[in-house]
Amino acid sequence: MMLILCSFPLINLVLLLRTTMVLGPIGNVAPAYAGGGAGAGGAGAPRPTKAAAGYDGDANGDGTNVRDWPSLAKRVSSDPLFRTYQSFYNSGSQSWRIQRYGRVCFVSDAFLGLVVSSGTGTALTTWAEVLAANGFEVHLLYTQGSTAEAATVDFWMQYYGTRGITLTPLPKANVPYDVSKDVALSHRVYTWLKEQKPFDVVHFADTGGRAYFAATARRFGIALEHTPIVVHTHSPHLWYKTHSLQALDEVEDLVRDFLERESAAAADAVISPTNYMLSWMQNNRWGDKEEGMDNGRFLVQPNALPAWVHRRSRQVLEDLTILEIVFFGRLELRKGLVLFCDALDQLGREHAGSDMSRAAGASSRGSVAGDPLGGVSVTFLGKQPDTTSERLLMRGGVRAKVEEYIKQRSLKWRFRWQVLGDMDAQARMDYMHSGSRLAVMPSLVENAPYTILECLVAGVPFIASAVGGVRELIAPQDRDRLLVSPTPKAYAKRIREVLASGLRPGAVAVASGQTDEAFVVWHHQMLHRAREGRDVVNAKGAPVVAPPPPPNRPFIPLVSVCVVTFNNPTLLRQTLDSILASDYPNFEIIVVDDGSTNDDARRYLQELALSFPGRGWLPPHTQENRGPGAARNRAAMLARGEFLLFMDDDNIATKREISTFVDIAGRTGADVLTCANNYFYGVDPPAMDAQPSGRWVPLGPATTVGMFANMYGDTNAMIRKTVFESVGGFPEDFGYALEDWELFSRCVLSGHKLVTVPDPLYWYRLRDQSHSKVTGVQANSARTIRPYLSTVPRELHHILLFAQGMKGSNDHASLALKAEQNQVAELRKMLRALANSLHSLCREGKLPAESKNLLVNAAFHFPGKAENAGGSALGGNFISPGAHSAGSANTVMGWKSYGEGYIHDAGTGRIGYGSADSYALRMMNHDWRDSRGATQLVVLNQQHPTAVVVSGWSRAEKVSGGVDSGYSIYVDIAFRDGTKLWGYAVPFETGTHGWQFKAGVIDPDVPIKSLQVFLMFRWHSGSVWWDDIAVSLLSDGLCDYSALALEGLHANENEANAAKGE
């Protein structure tokens, strides 16, 4: 009951804590299935009951009670203009070839082609193509700039151009942003839209809240006044993370959630492909703060289907026999990967205990003995996650990449399986279309996955989880056949039934033609009313969120500009001059001196005391030094204005700062107004057209963010005097900073309306000795949390304090990690400098130029007799090379085969320092369980311990898994005293990369007798090449090693830069 007393935004803070403290389920965020089990690879997580998992009558799996929302089709058909534009749509009019109907822009992080797999990108691209095909001028604003997952952005610009669509990558910012990526992108999109010829409609994906600043500027009436904004909601950040069992462990999670929520609240219309998602949003308090979501702006419109799906359309009326089971979707927890593996385990357990398995061996389909699927194979087909947070939990608490996880789970499987590399959507569907394959989509939660629609239209048999909005996509008569409760037993049972009896594909619930018509006619209706100067109306007959008109009477309230100063006469003069240049006619300036001791400051204050009364203003007030909070409160007491505008004595106002604040206050009824600012350095004021040194853009009333970071705004803000007095003004604690943050928190948490103007209305001077930089961090934090503590019962104070402390610890750890990364970068610089110096000494002949590589045929130039390694010369527990070699015909001199051997490959070797030929060794594993390698024994018989350098080059192609000794130069060491050390490894990066140099130093405490060197490739699938392997004494090989080190450093840096997209 105590939680109910909290304001709702604090629930997000509780979620943040829950992910850290591992509390029980809260609200509707529990997953439908935690999964894992205690078997091989499983995390041993408990499996919740239906009640704990949040099931409701519609089996959505996350506790969302789904209601029916207004549909776009019904909205459009009820409009008096419907018949006109429906007939126009159906007639196939070609008048658009002469003049386009209207300008429409779609804004998204993903569009088809630029991003290989994205439901949101598919939806928006398809709607864009529908409008373009029906005579609209369509633009795509791609917010990821020059980054493309396939081909190049230039290629896709030409591709879309041939289809009558203009693709524009968002230009790079011309000013550095001092905010997070999501905030910066939203503001850059807003800036770009302002600079364009006005669009008639702008559509936004919900991802990251890219619409926020554009939509709020339209609401304020300062930009895009005649451009309705539509937000398409597909996968809100909070919905995605909580249902993927990912922690809300960064403030950026709260920032993104706020941007997405407020984008929807400020938009003219919000479109969802399902009733489910709108219901989830309502349950989580989205929408307008007064009306919520019951204002007619939230509409359901099923996704349109791309043309390529229609081209693969087929109708199947009979049950199909299944020969392959395909996990069809992104290989991640939310898509049900763990649940699917558990279901396969369940099938194996049931088969092992059945009479059939004991009586029969292999089935007629050619399966192995004990195969629970009777010869049917299993394929994992989908994009693999690439972030650490999306790794899957294995036994022992280890988080593994997807392929490693599947390998571990497969140890108990008795059937054939494979993981296919990611394909684009068309290639995936062609794969499913080409055989007797069953698509399995065991998601824990879904909104409106395109994979379901694609299978329905293409006639591909599938089973999927009865969660989220999936039911709404499937024709009612097919739902019971195709939908499964998201549990391993339910999936195992349904798979067993399908394998026995076959399965007929289902039908789609809503025909694509109906969705296209409604969408196109809706745009005609919006443009028609825009031409008539009328707003589009919602279901209640009220205007959709049009910019508020200015007040009926002139709104020119007195604004008291409150400036506090201390020993700063030069900069104070610049601040006052900027205020005096304002275009607003009704203001006064209140100056309070906080006990200045500087003679120049006192003289300037005397000068102001003579000039201010002539303007009808009070002379500057001087008080003893009590800090900026007390000084600002004194200025507010002296002020006569309806609004107080606080300014620091070193900032510079723009000409329109006061007038913009007042105009927006009059339109919106805001109590507190903050704004973006531009940074500048120096003693001189910036020219109004100067290039900023940086830009800060606050969010506004982001209460969840506000407990951890001030994104409300800066001290340079305007506030109603009555509101300022009601919350007690600024805190007056002497010796602390961030008093503006605490004031804004009190205002917002008290229910007062705070808005943020996205335009920079003043210049913020950067100074090393600003107040917040010379006061204690912990003391300032203790101050900023006080407003939040006052909103919850005292019994819960420790929870908020703990959350703040965790955030501080995370910040400290992040700074420490960054410092370590910087140290590594500096170390690389030192190594480069050292290698350069050694290389110079070698060129000058001051060091021995010749070094001895102790390996035979290290560049693999010379072929040799086919030999197998008969075992390690070291004995004991050392690796024993295999007894046969698949590549024996290609064996080279000096190198024995390990496992299934290697291929002597001409023409693929490395050309560079120390490599004069193009020979290499190649190893290719089709399966991660394959094992290949080459080995050579190096006898040293050292009399004294001497450091040995082991180095070499390798390149890789589609190597699975993570970095480990399975892909490495692997060395077993025997010492003169009889002791042994096995498994010294110099590992290489996995994935795909060019020639990569790696080296390691063995620095022994006792003399080394011998080294068994392996070029190892096991535990991974893919292909690798080896060249120019070296084993040398460090003292003998300084010249060669310095040259190789320089070349290797350069190659590895190029690889790293390429991975970053630089």
Side-chain angles (χ1 to χ4, degrees), residues 75 219 265 270 283 476 501 624 657 718 745 779 836 1017 1044:
R75 171 72 52 79
R219 268 202 167 185
V270 177
N283 288 355
S501 306
E624 65 179 12
E657 178 182 18
M718 192 172 86
S745 295
N836 274 318
F1017 190 47
L1044 286 170

Side-chain angles (χ1 to χ4, degrees), residues 546-739:
N552 293 328
R553 60 179 179 82
F555 186 63
I556 314 176
L558 176 64
V559 176
S560 298
V561 184
C562 302
V563 182
V564 170
T565 187
F566 176 75
N567 284 342
N568 201 14
T570 301
L571 302 186
L572 174 62
R573 185 185 298 273
Q574 295 175 11
T575 298
L576 297 183
D577 287 345
S578 71
I579 298 169
L580 293 171
S582 171
D583 62 6
Y584 186 71
N586 190 23
F587 68 89
E588 65 174 356
I589 297 178
I590 306 293
V591 174
V592 172
D593 172 47
D594 192 30
S596 290
T597 58
N598 182 285
D599 290 340
D600 290 338
R602 289 173 174 173
R603 280 193 290 270
Y604 182 54
L605 291 170
Q606 292 172 0
E607 180 183 325
L608 295 177
L610 296 176
S611 63
F612 272 22
R615 298 176 178 269
W617 302 343
L618 295 174
H621 175 83
T622 299
Q623 65 176 27
E624 65 179 12
N625 183 243
R626 295 176 54 202
R632 293 188 187 114
N633 288 342
R634 183 61 181 173
M637 291 176 59
L638 298 171
R640 298 173 296 152
E642 180 179 345
F643 287 92
L644 309 173
L645 174 59
F646 293 97
M647 282 197 69
D648 288 337
D649 65 353
D650 55 356
N651 293 338
I652 305 295
T654 64
K655 184 177 181 179
R656 64 189 188 94
E657 178 182 18
I658 303 176
S659 59
T660 302
F661 274 149
V662 170
D663 180 57
I664 294 175
R667 289 174 181 264
T668 65
D671 300 309
V672 185
L673 299 98
T674 64
C675 66
N677 63 52
N678 284 332
Y679 292 166
F680 76 103
Y681 286 98
V683 175
D684 297 325
M688 289 299 105
D689 59 350
Q691 179 69 17
S693 301
R695 178 171 293 159
W696 185 65
V697 187
L699 288 175
T703 49
T704 52
V705 180
M707 199 184 101
F708 303 105
N710 180 18
M711 291 299 290
Y712 294 121
D714 181 64
T715 303
N716 205 122
M718 192 172 86
I719 181 171
R720 292 181 189 271
K721 185 174 181 180
T722 54
V723 170
F724 181 82
E725 292 172 342
S726 71
V727 298
F730 287 99
E732 297 188 0
D733 312 72
F734 187 78
Y736 299 87
L738 309 181
E739 60 279 348

